[in-house]
Amino acid sequence: MTDASAQTILSLKNASLTLNGNTGQVEILRDISLDVSRHSSVGLVGPSGSGKSSLLMLMGGLEQATGGQVTALGQNLTALDEDALARFRRDHMGVVFQSFHLIPTMTALENVATPMELAGQEDAFDRAAAELEAVGLSHRADHFPAQLSGGEQQRVALARALAPRPDILLADEPTGNLDGANGKAIMDLLFELQARHGATLIMVTHAPDLAARCDHVIRLTDGRIDPTTGSTATEAAE
Amino acid sequence: MTPGFRLAWRLALRDLRGGLKGFRIFLACLALGVAVIAAIGSVRSSIQTGLAREGATLLGGDAEMEFTYRFASESERAWMQREATAVSEIAEFRSMAVLGDERALTQVKSVDAAYPLLGQVRLTPDVPLHQALAGQNGLPGAVMEPILADRLGLEPGDTFRLGTQDFVLMARIDHEPDGAASGFALGPRTLVTTKGLEGSGLLAPGTLFSTKYRLDLPPGRDLATIAAEANAQFENAGMSWTDARNGAPGIAEFVARLSAFLVLVGLSGLAVGGVGVSAAVRAYLATKTETIATLRTLGAERQTIFRVYFLQIGVLSLAGVCIGLILGGIGPVLLGPWIASQLPFPAVFTLYPSALAEATIYGLLTAFLFTLWPLARAERIRPASLFRDAISTRTRLPAPRYLAATALALAVLVIAAIWFSGSAELTLWTTAGVLGALIVLSLAAATLRLIARRALPISRKRPVLRWSLSAISTARDNTTPVVLSLGLGLSVLAAIGQIDGNLRLAISGNLPDVAPSYFFVDIQRDQMPSVRDRLENDPQVSKMESAPMLRGIITKINDRPARDTAGDHWVLEGDRGVSYADALPATTEVTAGNWWPTGYTGEPQISFSQDEATEMGLKLGDTMTVNILGRDITATITSFRNVDFSTAGMGFILVMNETALAGAPHSYIATVYAQPQAEAAILRDLASQFPNITAIRVRDAIDRVSEVLTSIAAATAYGAAATLLTGFLVLLGTAAAAEPARRYEAAILKTLGASRGAILRSFTLRSAILGAGAGLVALIAGVTGAWAVSRFVFETDYTIIWSNALGVILGGILCTLLAGLLFSWRPLTVRPARILRARE
């Protein structure tokens, strides 16, 4: 994936995830080890049910590993409690979802401002307005999610994820619910903003062309990293 | 407000833009519960204020000194004349008003010229009281309550007889200013002058009567001081003091006790409402899972999430409580004139802050208790919920801080209830009952789900039954609130119905088998042989018992004030019947000590009732001072006896040896056990031969007690009905919350080819099963509670009242059917395509 060096921003060592379902324990991820270097972009690919989204969740501290270790920015995420993880995400991570997950009762501006409000930043709304302008939606600031198109909602979600200037940007199939034109526009915007702000991007995707735009690609099969995963995007995505 | 709370408040307000769908039931449950308690408290305060304001009028003077069995002595009269600006003397006793062969029990009040010191007796025709009592044609006058006049067929101008004296009925009583404070009476009132009674042969020494001296005191005279002075001088002589500070102590105590009980019934209703509140909050938070998970992803800490929804629910709770306060506070004021017309005593209807504060405290604490756990669970929603159905944390207990807060709120609620109701015992029993019922009903709901799951295989070839059982076994969010809310409401109704039914049965149903037909009182000693002769020679009289009867007040035990030893025991309240005997009566069973020897003439001895002695902490060898007719008699307790009060026969707590009391003026009391057809002849013979004798028909007395019970039961039933109404509201809320799931289920079933009739049958069947289950558990809980109350509180036998039992189960089924079917119509009518497309 990347050279293990001082530039490593995210690291997993033998991480695993087992969940208790109705029919017993289910092993979602097994023995995952990888390093992600700062400012790089990583595509997570693999068939449905292979564990891509779960791996993304482990990296974001949205899910606790049941084995091994997850380290981000030198912080062992497996040792943090729920609130400490929330604070860590607030200060260092942005997340973009396939289904946008904008809060339906908040306007576009309020949605973008929320993470900064949670961080106690006084200028949350000014920065949110600037961020909306950056994604071309300043004229939609007072609209609620239900009044926005899918593409617009995802742009608001992007603005929300990037407004606090996170070190790590996690994206879970960000174009999965969008048509081709909108999807491409969003991806262009995503990579442009990532490059502009210097965030590390980790993205789950099914689309080979999107994976191809990443610096590195990791292929998952049945909860494990496919050992044949190449170091270039094209190899992995094929 | 801290920055954290400010942020939570902002987020809460934004979140509330989504509307308050599903909170109508939340508000209704809370408002109804608070309204009931506020209304009960307001009516109680209205009556208390009325009693306090009209204390002197109700009492008939600033103060009253009451003596049993005698008029005041010279020294007592002298004290009254010295202290009061005006004194009015009244004597009260029971007697028979006779018109030809018609006889009716009446409570006679003989008054002097000064009566009434306060207020006015209003009469029809409208003549001044003393003009009426002066009579006409040389006969003294009388006025009586219309019910008595009607019973005897008397019209103004007609003559009737009391004892051996004829009176002219001059008017009917419309209003007696001091009537309400007289308390429970077996017969309607007749008012005459004491002078007019002189030729009646009534009020002879030994007759059962009491005298009341109403005092007008100089302005500014401190009632507490004069009460202390009077008690110090005359209490030991059998004087009982009442003053305008609490002019109608009987009513005041009755109202306080009944309202305390009703508030506790209201609290049970609030608990039922709490179940609805809790269900509404759960349903609301379930719709907020995505928002909460998103906020958590964006970095919101658990505390922030808790605060956001705590503030929302808090604001809604305040709104619910306010609606309840408006309804419960203003309702009694608006209905005041009507309520006042139904009450036999004064009431001042206005807003009472204390009553509203009580309801507010109960409402807020209940809302807090029932919403804390769902709120605490909300903060556990993890960001991963956005990706997959996160592992359920529903069944896990909340964090310790929430458990501690729950315990604290519960403790505050119980302490508040004890303080407001004034009865720790009643409050703790009610709390235990409600908590116990909630636990039992929760277990019952779990059991019902389990049974439904286990029964699935047998429903394999019956799809309608299978869909119903399947829905019951899986729908935790539906089954539990239905069983809890309906079950709790029905439990209260079952318990009250069963207790009331058993009490009635004990009083009116079982008693006539063992109770006498008549009590005859005021039989003079020289009349006893004739009375005995008439009764013992009547073949239709199965039994006759008689005993000398005096009345006395126990003032001291072992030479110290009696209350020091026996506290507030009822035997020490007022005067008690006292008798004497020489030889041990045949039916008397001595349980400890020895009955005095026949012909005993030594120091006075007492044989005391065993049960009461145990309760009062008495032992053999203790001395007891009894004031009889103003004279103290001190005697040693030498034996205990069994006294059975349950048969309404003759039962004296205190019996002395003959020589201790025989010298005092006294009369006899007799009980007669006769065939019903012989009763009229016995009454006619004895009443015409001995006009001074008063006959009390036991059946009439029972009817009178039953009337009082009926009004208490009615008041309680209203409280219980409010509880059931709240339960029904919760059912509606639960059914409304379950409607989307039913719509989806109906859409799928229709797609698979099920007819609307089959789906409707399935919806009906699950409602009926849940209702029957809740009703059955409620019945078991109610019957258990009622059995315990009957057995241990009233000490009566317990029989299941089947009409009530059947009503509870049918009521359960009917309620759930109604609520369920109300919300079944839409799922049945919507086209499947619309539902399924919207779901995608």
Side-chain angles (χ1 to χ4, degrees):
Chain A
M1 285 122 271
T2 180
D3 299 328
S5 68
Q7 289 298 305
T8 297
I9 191 166
L10 192 71
S11 169
L12 278 77
K13 296 268 181 289
N14 308 113
S16 59
L17 177 67
T18 304
L19 295 180
N20 291 314
N22 287 335
T23 50
Q25 291 198 327
V26 186
E27 282 193 297
I28 309 283
L29 294 171
R30 301 172 226 204
D31 204 24
I32 304 281
S33 295
L34 61 85
D35 293 304
V36 177
S37 57
R38 193 179 280 271
H39 309 310
S40 67
S41 56
V42 177
L44 295 177
V45 298
S48 291
S50 59
K52 304 181 295 291
S53 292
S54 298
L55 180 56
L56 196 77
M57 281 191 273
L58 276 197
M59 292 173 166
L62 300 169
E63 190 84 90
Q64 281 280 22
T66 48
Q69 192 171 315
V70 180
T71 309
L73 292 152
Q75 178 73 55
N76 180 5
L77 299 190
T78 43
L80 298 182
D81 68 12
E82 284 282 333
D83 281 339
L85 282 170
R87 284 192 294 271
F88 187 82
R89 274 194 303 275
R90 188 186 69 194
D91 296 338
H92 301 291
M93 289 179 172
V95 187
V96 181
F97 303 96
Q98 178 182 357
S99 312
F100 327 133
H101 286 313
L102 297 179
I103 295 172
T105 55
M106 294 189 192
T107 62
L109 184 69
E110 286 165 348
N111 261 290
V112 177
T114 297
M116 293 175 288
E117 283 185 286
L118 288 169
Q121 294 176 11
E122 293 292 326
D123 57 349
F125 278 85
D126 294 339
R127 288 179 58 183
E131 208 63 31
L132 272 182
E133 192 163 359
V135 297
L137 280 179
S138 52
H139 62 296
R140 306 287 255 167
D142 293 331
H143 287 68
F144 287 94
Q147 298 167 309
L148 301 174
S149 70
E152 285 173 328
Q153 288 191 51
Q154 195 60 302
R155 276 196 275 165
V156 175
L158 257 180
R160 182 176 70 181
L162 286 165
R165 299 289 174 263
D167 297 295
I168 301 167
L169 179 62
L170 303 170
D172 184 24
E173 296 195 49
T175 59
N177 275 357
L178 300 176
D179 59 36
N182 264 315
K184 184 173 180 313
I186 285 294
M187 285 319 297
D188 290 346
L189 190 60
L190 177 66
F191 279 105
E192 183 204 321
L193 292 173
Q194 183 240 341
R196 192 191 301 169
H197 302 312
T200 303
L201 171 67
I202 302 165
M203 177 173 64
V204 169
T205 182
H206 272 113
D209 56 327
L210 287 186
R213 294 175 69 171
C214 295
D215 300 332
H216 306 281
V217 173
I218 298 164
R219 175 181 287 278
L220 286 176
T221 309
D222 200 18
R224 294 176 195 274
I225 293 179
D226 187 339
T228 64
T229 297
S231 59
T232 68
T234 323
E235 279 174 59
E238 277 167 358
Chain B
M1 205 188 263
T2 63
F5 262 108
R6 268 205 302 274
L7 172 64
W9 181 244
R10 276 204 308 273
L11 293 175
L13 288 181
R14 284 179 207 161
D15 197 52
L16 278 174
R17 290 176 190 152
L20 297 171
K21 197 166 167 278
F23 273 104
R24 272 173 300 190
I25 297 295
F26 176 104
L27 291 172
C29 286
L30 206 52
L32 185 64
V34 170
V36 167
I37 293 178
I40 294 168
S42 295
V43 172
R44 176 194 59 206
S45 298
S46 305
I47 295 173
Q48 284 171 341
T49 306
L51 293 180
R53 195 174 288 180
E54 302 289 319
T57 310
L58 285 168
L59 185 63
D62 293 330
E64 178 187 275
M65 294 169 76
E66 183 178 354
F67 300 91
T68 305
Y69 228 16
R70 68 181 179 93
F71 287 90
S73 65
E74 283 308 315
S75 63
E76 287 158 348
R77 284 174 197 272
W79 185 87
M80 291 181 220
Q81 295 298 342
R82 199 167 56 242
E83 294 290 338
T85 51
V87 179
S88 169
E89 179 191 80
I90 289 162
E92 280 193 356
F93 58 94
R94 276 184 293 270
S95 188
M96 308 297 287
V98 182
L99 177 70
D101 282 344
E102 291 293 326
R103 285 166 185 81
L105 185 68
T106 176
Q107 192 80 22
V108 180
K109 179 150 107 182
S110 73
V111 300
D112 59 7
Y115 175 85
L117 289 181
L118 287 171
Q120 267 196 323
V121 177
R122 286 200 299 273
L123 303 171
T124 300
D126 188 10
V127 288
L129 175 68
H130 287 284
Q131 186 185 319
L133 296 185
Q136 63 186 30
N137 306 329
L139 287 178
V143 293
M144 60 172 58
E145 284 189 73
I147 189 172
L148 180 62
D150 290 343
R151 197 176 296 161
L152 290 169
L154 279 172
E155 291 296 332
D158 291 348
T159 305
F160 71 99
R161 182 169 279 225
L162 286 175
T164 52
Q165 175 69 52
D166 284 338
F167 287 86
V168 185
L169 179 69
M170 300 295 288
R172 294 167 176 233
I173 302 172
D174 290 333
H175 172 72
E176 189 188 351
D178 53 345
S182 305
F184 181 81
L186 285 175
R189 169 82 71 219
T190 303
L191 261 176
V192 295
T193 58
T194 309
K195 192 168 167 13
L197 275 178
E198 276 173 2
S200 67
L202 305 170
L203 291 183
T207 316
L208 295 175
F209 69 96
S210 64
T211 55
K212 293 172 177 174
Y213 294 83
R214 270 77 181 268
L215 312 180
D216 254 357
L217 297 171
R221 186 72 162 102
D222 182 51
L223 290 171
T225 315
I226 192 170
E229 286 170 19
N231 280 324
Q233 288 199 44
F234 307 118
E235 195 175 21
N236 284 344
M239 187 277 303
S240 150
W241 175 275
T242 313
D243 60 48
R245 288 173 300 172
N246 187 7
I251 301 173
E253 195 177 330
F254 176 73
V255 168
R257 283 192 183 178
L258 183 60
S259 60
F261 176 64
L262 286 178
V263 165
L264 292 176
V265 173
L267 267 182
S268 312
L270 208 47
V272 176
V275 174
V277 162
S278 178
V281 172
R282 272 171 218 268
Y284 176 67
L285 291 175
T287 67
K288 294 293 175 186
T289 304
E290 187 185 325
T291 298
I292 294 169
T294 304
L295 285 170
R296 298 280 288 132
T297 305
L298 298 178
E301 293 175 37
R302 281 179 293 194
Q303 197 180 42
T304 306
I305 300 294
F306 178 81
R307 283 174 179 171
V308 167
Y309 292 97
F310 181 79
L311 286 171
Q312 286 186 14
I313 304 299
V315 168
L316 282 168
S317 301
L318 279 176
V321 168
C322 285
I323 296 170
L325 290 181
I326 291 168
L327 292 175
I330 293 179
V333 176
L334 293 179
L335 295 173
W338 179 79
I339 302 175
S341 70
Q342 304 294 308
L343 294 173
F345 33 80
V348 180
F349 288 95
T350 179
L351 287 179
Y352 287 97
S354 63
L356 301 185
E358 180 180 0
T360 306
I361 290 172
Y362 287 149
L364 289 180
L365 282 172
T366 307
F368 181 77
L369 272 171
F370 280 92
T371 55
L372 188 61
W373 285 31
L375 285 172
R377 282 179 185 144
E379 69 165 33
R380 283 197 170 157
I381 292 175
R382 300 177 56 200
S385 310
L386 293 175
F387 295 81
R388 66 164 70 90
D389 285 339
I391 304 138
S392 173
T393 54
R394 193 180 281 152
T395 51
R396 281 168 55 194
L397 281 176
R401 62 179 180 281
Y402 297 114
L403 293 178
T406 305
L408 187 68
L410 189 62
V412 173
L413 183 66
V414 171
I415 291 168
I418 291 174
W419 191 70
F420 282 123
S421 73
S423 168
E425 198 178 353
L426 189 59
T427 307
L428 290 174
W429 275 110
T430 307
T431 309
V434 171
L435 286 180
L438 282 176
I439 292 169
V440 168
L441 288 165
S442 299
L443 292 175
T447 311
L448 202 60
R449 284 201 306 273
L450 188 73
I451 293 172
R453 196 156 49 242
R454 291 276 160 83
L456 277 174
I458 60 160
S459 63
R460 209 156 266 168
K461 287 184 180 166
R462 300 180 190 89
V464 170
L465 177 63
R466 183 168 174 79
W467 302 335
S468 304
L469 293 178
S470 179
I472 292 171
S473 67
T474 52
R476 172 199 291 274
D477 286 343
N478 197 2
T479 309
T480 307
V482 167
V483 173
L484 275 184
S485 58
L486 185 65
L488 201 53
L490 289 174
S491 298
V492 174
L493 212 63
I496 287 171
Q498 295 285 329
I499 292 170
D500 177 49
N502 272 279
L503 211 51
R504 276 167 199 283
L505 216 57
I507 289 173
S508 59
N510 299 333
L511 209 52
D513 298 340
V514 291
S517 314
Y518 280 105
F519 273 90
F520 288 100
V521 298
D522 294 336
I523 310 169
Q524 298 299 317
R525 179 185 280 230
D526 59 355
Q527 295 171 333
M528 271 313 289
S530 307
V531 170
R532 200 171 276 135
D533 189 47
R534 164 66 183 85
L535 295 172
E536 286 178 349
N537 290 328
D538 187 335
Q540 288 181 306
V541 173
S542 57
K543 189 166 77 167
M544 180 237 171
E545 288 174 346
S546 65
M549 161 98 155
L550 301 88
R551 297 198 73 82
I553 300 175
I554 298 169
T555 55
K556 290 178 186 168
I557 294 169
N558 293 330
D559 218 25
R560 298 185 51 211
R563 291 193 186 277
D564 287 0
T565 305
D568 289 335
H569 197 276
W570 63 267
V571 167
L572 303 183
E573 282 173 19
D575 55 308
R576 300 254 79 82
V578 176
S579 188
Y580 64 80
D582 184 22
L584 178 68
T587 53
T588 301
E589 182 194 346
V590 172
T591 54
N594 294 306
W595 189 267
W596 41 85
T598 307
Y600 174 75
T601 55
E603 289 294 306
Q605 291 188 20
I606 288 175
S607 178
F608 207 82
S609 168
Q610 174 72 66
D611 289 347
E612 281 65 32
T614 308
E615 289 163 12
M616 293 166 70
L618 300 177
K619 53 189 187 306
L620 292 175
D622 283 347
T623 62
M624 191 172 263
T625 304
V626 188
N627 187 284
I628 294 171
L629 295 169
R631 189 166 70 91
D632 278 344
I633 298 173
T634 300
T636 306
I637 300 173
T638 51
S639 67
F640 292 132
R641 293 165 293 124
N642 269 339
V643 178
D644 183 7
F645 292 104
S646 67
T647 58
M650 216 179 285
F652 289 98
I653 297 277
L654 197 157
V655 174
M656 288 194 184
N657 61 301
E658 185 171 353
T659 48
L661 292 177
H666 63 271
S667 60
Y668 280 71
I669 179 173
T671 53
V672 180
Y673 299 75
Q675 301 292 329
Q677 60 270 26
E679 288 179 2
I682 293 170
L683 180 62
R684 188 185 58 234
D685 290 353
L686 288 181
S688 47
Q689 194 180 349
F690 308 111
N692 63 301
I693 294 179
T694 302
I696 299 166
R697 191 160 169 255
V698 171
R699 171 57 65 191
D700 292 342
I702 287 169
D703 288 347
R704 197 64 193 87
V705 174
S706 292
E707 276 171 33
V708 176
L709 265 186
T710 302
S711 25
I712 295 174
T716 314
Y718 287 130
T723 305
L724 194 64
L725 177 63
T726 315
F728 187 65
L729 282 179
V730 179
L731 284 188
L732 287 180
T734 315
E739 198 196 57
R742 285 189 171 198
R743 228 182 292 171
Y744 183 64
E745 183 187 347
I748 298 275
L749 290 173
K750 276 191 219 169
T751 310
L752 297 176
S755 69
R756 287 201 295 186
I759 299 169
L760 181 63
R761 281 202 301 282
S762 161
F763 287 165
T764 310
L765 191 59
R766 72 186 70 169
S767 292
I769 293 173
L770 277 181
L776 189 66
V777 179
L779 184 62
I780 295 169
V783 163
T784 310
W787 169 81
V789 171
S790 299
R791 177 77 186 78
F792 300 111
V793 180
F794 297 121
E795 297 183 6
T796 56
D797 291 337
Y798 179 77
T799 319
I800 291 185
I801 311 293
W802 286 108
S803 55
N804 165 273
L806 206 64
V808 164
I809 293 185
L810 286 179
I813 295 174
L814 204 68
C815 283
T816 41
L817 271 185
L818 204 61
L821 292 181
L822 268 177
F823 288 90
S824 291
W825 188 244
R826 250 191 319 195
L828 286 173
T829 50
V830 181
R831 296 199 175 282
R834 269 183 56 192
I835 306 293
L836 298 176
R837 211 180 296 131
R839 185 90 169 193
E840 276 169 5

